[in-house]
Amino acid sequence: QSVLTQPPSVSGAPGQRVTISCTGSSSNIGAGYDVHWYQQLPGTAPKLLIYGNSNRPSGVPDRFSGSKSGTSASLAITGLQAEDEADYYCQSYDSSLSGSNVFGTGTKVTVL
Amino acid sequence: EVQLVQSGAEVKKPGESLKISCKGSGYSFTSYWIGWVRQMPGKGLEWMGIIYPGDSDTRYSPSFQGQVTISADKSISTAYLQWSSLKASDTAMYYCVRYGDYMDVWGKGTTVTVSS
């Protein structure tokens, strides 16, 4: 059972902006732990998309951006493209689970 | 190129044992944690645990403590995930990841199918 909650799905037309929320609590995001985001294209392994709340690894388009505030974080995709259709997961650390990383519930992004 | 190469798909029967592997290359294997992530069919990602190959310090998610064993052989830059008695509910894709403060390198995954 994940302690980070994401919407099951979001959708948008090509070119639009979509956001994915990741809601945690005072033992994970609210405690100051960083949030990281991963993209999982269909049939492939996840890939690091955003690290340290808002940093993009080299090669990740600047259409992807991350932010964090309080006990939540968000991933925004601007200029949505067909190849962005994937599952997205947030991840952080939780101090209440004997010190363990936790993933969000995952969000399916559909490009209409 | 930094990469993690995982062992091939496995089909096992309930009660059997299994050890899958993850070989790191292109970086100092003993300087990064290696983690394991489970993804059951059609489901999300679950953190299982990590090991630091440099000194074999191992930590498990509470959900997986006692259910699996994580180990590593630094002499061959390989980490392992092991079951002593598989259950049908262990059917899943298992990914190994390189972990610093985040999971920056992922293996392609090993599919484990447990069926009688």
Side-chain angles (χ1 to χ4, degrees), chain A residues 27-90:
Chain A
S27 64
N28 42 68
I29 298 174
Y33 295 112
D34 283 343
V35 178
H36 318 293
W37 292 88
Y38 304 88
Q39 177 193 57
Q40 186 174 30
L41 296 169
T44 70
K47 162 192 141 181
L48 178 66
L49 193 66
I50 296 286
Y51 66 93
N53 305 315
S54 59
N55 301 291
R56 284 186 308 277
S58 65
V60 173
D62 59 6
R63 304 184 289 105
F64 296 92
S65 62
S67 63
K68 173 188 155 184
S69 178
T71 58
S72 295
S74 290
L75 173 72
I77 311 174
T78 56
L80 194 64
Q81 297 184 6
E83 60 259 36
D84 298 334
E85 190 159 290
D87 293 321
Y88 293 82
Y89 296 90
C90 60

Side-chain angles (χ1 to χ4, degrees), chain B residues 22-91:
Chain B
C22 169
K23 182 174 176 62
S25 63
Y27 73 100
S28 174
F29 188 71
T30 53
S31 299
Y32 289 82
W33 294 81
I34 291 287
W36 289 93
V37 176
R38 182 175 80 174
Q39 187 168 38
M40 298 177 77
K43 302 298 184 183
L45 305 175
E46 299 174 270
W47 178 252
M48 300 179 72
I50 46 173
I51 187 165
Y52 191 74
D55 61 6
S56 293
D57 183 8
T58 307
R59 303 171 191 184
Y60 295 92
S61 163
S63 300
F64 291 92
Q65 179 81 48
Q67 307 305 307
V68 297
T69 300
I70 294 171
S71 61
D73 184 341
K74 62 184 178 182
S75 70
I76 55 171
S77 300
T78 301
Y80 301 97
L81 179 64
Q82 182 175 357
W83 294 260
S84 59
S85 180
L86 286 160
K87 302 185 279 287
S89 57
D90 292 318
T91 294

